[in-house]
Amino acid sequence: MDKGNDLAGALAPIPVNRPPLHVVVYTDSEGMGGAEFSLGHLVAAVSPDIAVTVLGVAEAVVGAIARQRPGAEAVVLPPTGVRWPKAGQRPSLAAHLATLHRLRPDIVHLNLCTPWAGAVGLTAALTLPQARVVRVDQLPLRTTDALELWRTRALSLRVDAHVAVGEASARRMEDFYALGRHTVQSVPNGVPDRGMPSAPPPGGQHSRLRVGSVGRLDAMKGYDVLLRAIAQVDDTHLTIWGDGAERPALEQLALELGLGDRISLPGWVDDPRQYLPEVDIFVLPSRSEGFPLAIVEAMLAARPVVGTRVGSVPEAVLAGQTGLVVEKNDVTGLAHALRQLKADAALRDRLGQQGRAVAAAEFTAQVMAQRYEQLWRELLKTPRSPRLRVPRPRD
């Protein structure tokens, strides 16, 4: 693993003979989440004639992503901290500058878990004389910090391409940061398609309706709403694969609601997709999302999905076609959707099959990689966008 704080190493010469397209993918995340898993899927799926370097600030994250692609270079830099600019961050910016100028990529593809993330990486990438800079925002969030808002907008206006993970997410980013209409493109996240899952074995608790979900146990995911809805639907069992700070609160709520053995919280599992065939319905009751991978995984497993009308979820969960959509925080509406699907096995099967067809056509890792490759190559055919002065965005 290359340590970017060794500037002598960062300035070492690079091979002259390299593939025609060299892409540096960047993340400043210090832990693995949906944004980082999505980047790993992209790294694994892009064409073999593209040279990929994974650049980041956390060795575990960089390593996990780089391992998805044999031969990918992994480069670790010092962490940037949560705020910038500050005097303490100057050495980190220097390491970013030295390493990116050593690598001389054609494309710098920055994958950001929040809009205000990656400021140091973006700043360094924008100094490269020939590279095209692509920023990808995984969550369309608005900051209330004036410095972060100004910085996010200033950097966004200077990149060569700005991408969000869905049409609704793209429009929100434009509105939140005054970027101008249709300045942010949409490329939905994708996951590998493993083919149709095998059917679950009969018997045991499978006489109940089996509801499942995958995600962090935190307030944003809205699992308290799901527990309250489950309490209103008889003969139903809920399993949530995931862990987080909200576990004690959810366990206490389950006791208060008298759910007893109707809920299971097994914690994190290495591959939650293997358990999806065991559920009849997949639910993601989030209060905020970009384009969640868990929903696509459930669709590829041919499970009917119930999702909330947040972010770009309705672009995958097409109401009445691939699943059902309810408003966030709507316990009554969610309970009604569960009862509707519980009473109609044919509807569950139809939604699941249609969901798999849509996901296989639109939301696989291969489709995502093809869209990004097309974007990268188109950028290299056009003049580089201005860095110091940018036109005023138009509505």
Side-chain angles (χ1 to χ4, degrees), residues 18-24 104-108 130-133 380:
R18 68 182 186 190
L21 181 58
H22 178 207
V23 178
V24 168
R104 287 187 290 163
D106 301 300
I107 301 288
V108 183
Q130 299 300 326
R132 304 302 192 267
V133 179
L380 292 173

Side-chain angles (χ1 to χ4, degrees), residues 6-7 10 12 26 43 48 77-79 81 148 172 218 235 238 262 264 295 299 317-318 328 365 368 373 382:
D6 183 356
L7 296 186
Y26 174 87
V43 164
L77 292 165
E148 286 179 344
R172 285 186 174 90
D218 64 27
D235 201 25
L238 169 66
R262 294 177 57 197
S264 298
I295 278 181
M299 292 170 66
V317 186
L318 307 175
K328 66 180 180 180
M368 174 180 63
E373 286 185 41
T382 59

Side-chain angles (χ1 to χ4, degrees), residues 248-374:
L250 292 173
E251 290 173 338
Q252 180 61 35
L253 179 59
L255 288 175
E256 295 172 1
L257 295 171
L259 292 177
D261 64 352
R262 294 177 57 197
I263 179 172
S264 298
L265 299 174
W268 292 114
V269 291
D270 290 336
D271 184 15
R273 293 178 69 176
Q274 66 180 307
Y275 299 102
L276 292 177
E278 300 177 7
V279 306
D280 301 300
I281 304 169
F282 183 89
V283 181
L284 197 65
S286 300
R287 295 182 168 100
S288 177
E289 285 288 356
F291 192 93
L293 299 179
I295 278 181
V296 178
E297 291 172 343
M299 292 170 66
L300 287 172
R303 302 298 90 187
V305 176
V306 180
T308 46
R309 199 179 307 278
V310 296
S312 291
V313 169
E315 296 168 35
V317 186
L318 307 175
Q321 299 179 47
T322 66
L324 301 178
V325 181
V326 301
E327 301 300 325
K328 66 180 180 180
N329 297 320
D330 185 357
V331 175
T332 301
L334 181 52
H336 175 76
L338 292 175
R339 284 194 291 266
Q340 180 182 356
L341 291 173
K342 182 176 186 291
D344 194 338
L347 175 62
R348 296 199 303 269
D349 183 67
R350 177 173 64 82
L351 295 178
Q353 294 299 323
Q354 291 180 173
R356 170 163 173 77
V358 168
E362 298 291 335
F363 305 132
T364 65
Q366 193 60 44
V367 171
M368 174 180 63
Q370 290 170 356
R371 289 170 175 165
Y372 277 120
E373 286 185 41
Q374 181 179 6

